[in-house]
Amino acid sequence: MRLTRFTDLALRVLMRLAVERGELPTTREVAAAMDVPYTHAAKVVAKLQHMGLVEARRGRGGGLLLTPAGREASVGTLVRELEGPGDVVDCDGTTPCPLRSACRLRGALRQAQEAFFASLDPLTLSDLVEAPTGPLLVSLSPTPRAD
């Protein structure tokens, strides 16, 4: 199973916000800390806001804040939502697979995909940011903004 870059970045943004204890970071600051283009981070943040996992506050003292729902969400549930519905392989694509009516591979891959998600279900963001990850994420925090 391979995650999309979008899902990978979303999980990293959530992990970064899970360790925030000071000023709220902006999308631009999170993008810089994660070494990704701002436009990619902005799309991810918009999706996470839509999912109710991140709150974006505007103005002085604003920034990104992980919501209680974001803190408590199952990683498996997050990955399912971010990856969206679909099979590991596209048997019905532009060139449909000639085996699709009698193929056992598709079912086996679907079962393996669900096992992958199920293995992530018990994990939360808190689990992902335990040491040594959490301290490393804190070290990626931007320097305080000059007012």
Side-chain angles (χ1 to χ4, degrees):
M1 175 81 201
R2 184 180 181 118
L3 298 179
T4 62
R5 291 181 66 203
F6 187 89
T7 298
D8 174 48
L9 180 55
L11 292 172
R12 288 189 287 147
V13 167
L14 290 170
M15 289 168 63
R16 168 62 184 80
L17 295 178
V19 299
E20 185 56 50
R21 301 288 180 250
E23 284 188 29
L24 302 180
T26 65
T27 302
R28 197 167 298 284
E29 290 167 341
V30 169
M34 295 293 135
D35 196 23
V36 297
Y38 167 76
T39 54
H40 292 232
K43 289 175 188 174
V44 164
V45 167
K47 174 69 174 178
L48 296 173
Q49 280 183 275
H50 180 73
M51 292 171 67
L53 305 171
V54 171
E55 179 184 334
R57 296 180 178 171
R58 294 188 177 273
R60 187 175 185 90
L64 303 176
L65 176 69
L66 190 63
T67 67
R71 265 187 212 290
E72 298 168 10
S74 153
V75 175
T77 301
L78 293 173
V79 172
R80 278 183 190 90
E81 177 75 21
L82 292 164
E83 287 292 303
D87 290 325
V88 176
V89 294
D90 185 13
C91 300
D92 301 316
T94 54
T95 307
C97 177
L99 303 176
R100 72 183 182 280
S101 64
C103 183
R104 299 180 71 189
L105 178 61
R106 185 179 195 174
L109 291 174
R110 188 175 294 135
Q111 187 176 8
Q113 181 181 29
E114 185 48 41
F116 173 77
F117 292 139
S119 71
L120 296 174
D121 282 339
L123 296 173
T124 64
L125 285 176
S126 295
D127 297 321
L128 297 180
V129 298
E130 287 179 0
T133 306
L136 178 60
L137 286 164
V138 169
S139 75
L140 297 176
S141 298
T143 55
R145 292 176 230 151
D147 290 328

